[in-house]
Amino acid sequence: MKTYDDLAGDGGSNIVGQVQALGEKLRSRLDRIKHKIALMSGKGGVGKSSLTANVAACLVDRGHTVGILDADLNGPSICHLLGLTHTQKLVIDENGVQPGTGAHGIKLMSMDMLLSSPDSPIMWTDEPEANATWVSTMESTALRELIADTQWGDLDFLLIDMPPGSDRIDNIRGLIPELAGVVEITIPSPLSQHIVTKSITKNNKMKVPIIGLVENMAGYTCPHCDKEGPLFEGEDVHELAMKKNIPYLGKIPFDPRIGQRTDSGSLYYMEHKGSVTGKAIGSVVDQILKAI
Ligand SMILES: Nc1ncnc2c1ncn2[C@@H]1O[C@H](COP(=O)(O)OP(=O)(O)O)[C@@H](O)[C@H]1O
Ligand SMILES: [Mg+2]
């Protein structure tokens, strides 16, 4: 990534030209992707990454080509979920970076692929007093470069796995002008609903199109008998969707197998599409396809 110290020549004075050139580069990188969808929540730990990976698997199962952009720079999960290891080297040529290929042929690009080892955290500086504005600018720049430099090629879908928080979507929207919309995810707990409400309110105000709201970990499905029971106490998520005037895309029951990795590297959806939770993921995908 270039920093201020790397500026050469005119010192970056042709700002308008640079912005236009970057806009064109972003457009040309993304113009062979039919649908771009971000999965977000505001809240962490509600299943954004797990659902992104399994929605991708379901789309592949239906014959679509899919890529995932891991926009969670500080807690990247997609390489792990799709079984991409650090031994797979990035291929870079004069046209940019080739995305990685994970389980089921899903293309992916993640900050994880750029770090030196699987345990390395992302550190923009080793200066303890680094200013927050500077760190935020570095994060925005990294995200922009992940998008601008990746050769996604032809894809039916690009899913964007968002970090927790409601602010990064502004950045993503600026970088992906033809975003089809966002899928909001919550679990039934009052705290999660409280936070997702803020994210929905903000997106409505900023005119970010919302495809709908998914209720994850809604009840527990016994892996042995497929019977359901409650898991979190909370208000009806369907009512929240109605109150905020957005579509309710369905509920996905808790299934501990979602977090388990298979030896073959296959994703939960591919292995268990006939289970209650597998069918629920399929039904959410139906709703998303209908909405776009
Ligand atoms: N429907 C589900 N059933 C069981 N576990 C789930 C489900 N959805 C997510 N999880 C688990 O919850 C944890 C958090 O999920 P993750 O996708 O990392 O959330 P986020 O990306 O929102 O932080 C993970 O351990 C994941 O395996
Ligand atoms: Mg995540």
Side-chain angles (χ1 to χ4, degrees):
M1 184 192 317
K2 284 203 171 67
T3 65
Y4 189 76
D5 293 333
D6 299 316
L7 288 178
D10 67 0
S13 60
N14 181 21
I15 289 292
V16 175
Q18 287 188 42
V19 170
Q20 274 172 353
L22 180 69
E24 270 156 36
K25 192 171 176 193
L26 286 167
R27 245 187 307 280
S28 74
R29 284 290 187 218
L30 299 169
D31 66 359
R32 285 156 60 198
I33 303 174
K34 289 188 199 138
H35 308 286
K36 298 126 193 155
I37 299 170
L39 289 89
M40 67 178 293
S41 166
K43 181 92 177 65
V46 296
K48 295 179 294 298
S49 303
S50 311
L51 290 189
T52 303
N54 281 286
V55 163
C58 180
L59 288 167
V60 168
D61 193 49
R62 291 171 187 204
H64 299 291
T65 47
V66 186
I68 299 179
L69 170 69
D70 189 346
D72 192 345
L73 304 181
N74 293 293
S77 316
I78 293 298
C79 286
H80 178 85
L81 289 168
L82 297 190
L84 202 88
T85 63
H86 264 76
T87 50
Q88 281 181 255
K89 292 261 175 272
L90 276 182
V91 180
I92 304 173
D93 58 34
E94 67 278 7
N95 295 320
V97 183
Q98 294 284 350
T101 304
H104 317 298
I106 298 166
K107 301 281 172 209
L108 72 150
M109 181 46 77
S110 167
M111 202 65 203
D112 237 358
M113 294 161 69
L114 307 175
L115 299 174
S116 55
S117 81
D119 297 334
S120 306
I122 185 165
M123 290 190 66
W124 303 110
T125 172
D126 49 15
E127 175 57 60
E129 308 210 335
N131 149 326
T133 311
W134 183 80
V135 170
S136 169
T137 307
M138 291 297 278
E139 287 183 359
S140 302
T141 309
L143 201 50
R144 190 186 69 206
E145 292 194 3
L146 277 187
I147 299 174
D149 290 341
T150 305
Q151 303 180 57
W152 292 105
D154 293 303
L155 286 178
D156 295 326
F157 289 89
L158 180 68
L159 304 181
I160 302 140
D161 179 25
M162 296 295 293
S166 306
D167 49 346
R168 264 305 156 220
I169 192 67
D170 304 337
N171 200 199
I172 285 288
R173 231 182 140 209
L175 297 170
I176 305 182
E178 283 160 9
L179 191 70
V182 301
V183 172
E184 296 273 4
I185 300 166
T186 186
I187 60 173
S189 79
L191 180 60
S192 174
Q193 290 201 50
H194 172 68
I195 293 174
V196 84
T197 302
K198 289 179 192 290
S199 166
I200 295 168
T201 305
K202 182 180 173 207
N203 283 339
N204 278 339
K205 273 203 181 136
M206 304 297 288
K207 307 229 175 324
V208 177
I210 300 179
I211 295 171
L213 178 63
V214 176
E215 180 179 358
N216 189 27
M217 305 197 215
Y220 175 74
T221 310
C222 171
H224 307 296
C225 65
D226 270 356
K227 268 207 181 130
E228 273 189 66
L231 187 66
F232 292 99
E233 295 296 329
E235 311 234 324
D236 188 351
V237 176
H238 199 274
E239 253 172 49
L240 169 62
M242 284 205 305
K243 209 158 66 195
K244 300 306 280 181
N245 207 15
I246 59 171
Y248 176 77
L249 301 177
K251 58 169 75 177
I252 298 178
F254 185 92
D255 185 332
R257 296 173 296 186
I258 279 196
Q260 292 162 5
R261 283 213 286 173
T262 61
D263 291 342
S264 62
S266 184
L267 280 162
Y268 170 86
Y269 178 81
M270 289 298 191
E271 297 286 315
H272 304 287
K273 58 185 117 160
S275 69
V276 176
T277 296
K279 282 185 190 151
I281 294 170
S283 158
V284 163
V285 169
D286 287 338
Q287 298 298 317
I288 294 173
L289 294 176
K290 241 187 255 167
I292 58 167

